[in-house]
Amino acid sequence: MLISRPIADGIRAGTVAAQYRKWDSPRVTVGGTQVTSAGVVRFAGVTRVDDVDGISDEQARAAGMADADTLRAALAKSRRGAHVYRVDLVWVSEDPRVELRNTLPDDAECAQIATRLGRLDRRATGPWTRDILEWIRDNPRVVSTRLAEQRGVDRAAMKVDIRKLKALGLTISHDVGYQVSPRGEAYLRWLAAR
């Protein structure tokens, strides 16, 4: 479930407690969690809303919307599914990747990272992880559109690849562009010494 930065910040602050989505069937599970830009959130409830006109202004504001009419208009524009669902959300903890990216790996951890990246490198287009880590290191905070153009790759696919590296604590996403984390820098130094 896509959760924007302002909504994630609201969940963390306690000013946003729910989101509304149009789906054919629920796409999240009660008790499940998701890492957002503001930390980890839990899906505390998923309820089908059969009476969209019955959503109150208070309920809309709890979803980060100005009022119920604004929420209904946003839902009307969505073509994603046949039913409206309210997803109740609770902030759980900080993003575990933040601590991970600042944790410097020893040789054994670097070998584990290399194994995991080796699995990612096994695709039809060939190895890519080291190349993109070095590219980001040498081109920090370059807007993703320009970075994709410079690399000659599809922007959406490149962003998916970078998220895989971020999940391992190797990169940091910024409002504009990326940079290699201290963990990623240590891993690249380990590779260079091999």
Side-chain angles (χ1 to χ4, degrees):
M1 183 168 123
L2 184 61
I3 299 174
S4 69
R5 180 172 209 108
I7 294 298
D9 289 342
I11 297 166
R12 181 184 178 125
T15 58
V16 173
Q19 286 290 277
Y20 290 82
R21 294 291 189 269
K22 282 182 79 174
W23 294 322
D24 289 326
S25 60
R27 294 190 184 170
V28 297
T29 304
V30 174
T33 60
Q34 179 173 325
V35 178
T36 72
S37 58
V40 179
V41 298
R42 182 183 321 108
F43 305 117
V46 181
T47 308
R48 186 167 149 176
V49 179
D50 292 322
D51 181 16
V52 175
D53 291 331
I55 297 173
S56 69
D57 286 341
E58 183 180 356
Q59 290 170 318
R61 282 191 291 276
M65 303 299 278
D67 55 38
D69 287 338
T70 304
L71 174 58
R72 282 190 279 276
L75 290 169
K77 288 180 187 175
S78 176
R79 307 256 186 258
R80 295 184 183 224
H83 308 290
V84 173
Y85 290 88
R86 184 184 76 229
V87 180
D88 298 314
L89 301 158
V90 178
W91 188 82
V92 176
S93 66
E94 297 292 342
D95 181 343
R97 297 172 302 186
V98 173
E99 184 177 341
L100 180 62
R101 70 186 185 204
N102 291 314
T103 305
L104 301 182
D106 59 20
D107 285 346
E109 288 174 299
C110 283
Q112 290 173 349
I113 293 168
T115 299
R116 291 187 73 182
L117 295 183
R119 286 194 289 267
L120 292 176
D121 282 336
R122 285 189 217 129
R123 65 181 185 195
T125 56
W128 60 273
T129 58
R130 183 175 185 169
D131 180 51
I132 199 159
L133 280 170
E134 290 174 342
W135 187 265
I136 291 170
R137 179 197 60 204
D138 298 340
N139 297 276
R141 295 181 183 249
V142 172
V143 67
S144 62
T145 305
R146 195 166 128 226
L147 185 61
E149 288 171 1
Q150 289 175 349
R151 291 183 46 75
V153 297
D154 175 70
R155 178 177 173 261
M158 180 194 74
K159 290 182 82 160
V160 168
D161 285 345
I162 293 172
R163 278 195 294 273
K164 292 174 186 174
L165 299 174
K166 183 179 178 180
L168 297 173
L170 302 176
T171 62
I172 301 169
S173 297
H174 295 289
D175 289 338
V176 176
Y178 312 93
Q179 77 180 72
V180 173
S181 70
R183 184 176 185 82
E185 290 279 1
Y187 173 69
L188 286 174
R189 285 193 300 274
W190 180 83
L191 277 180
R194 300 249 130 344

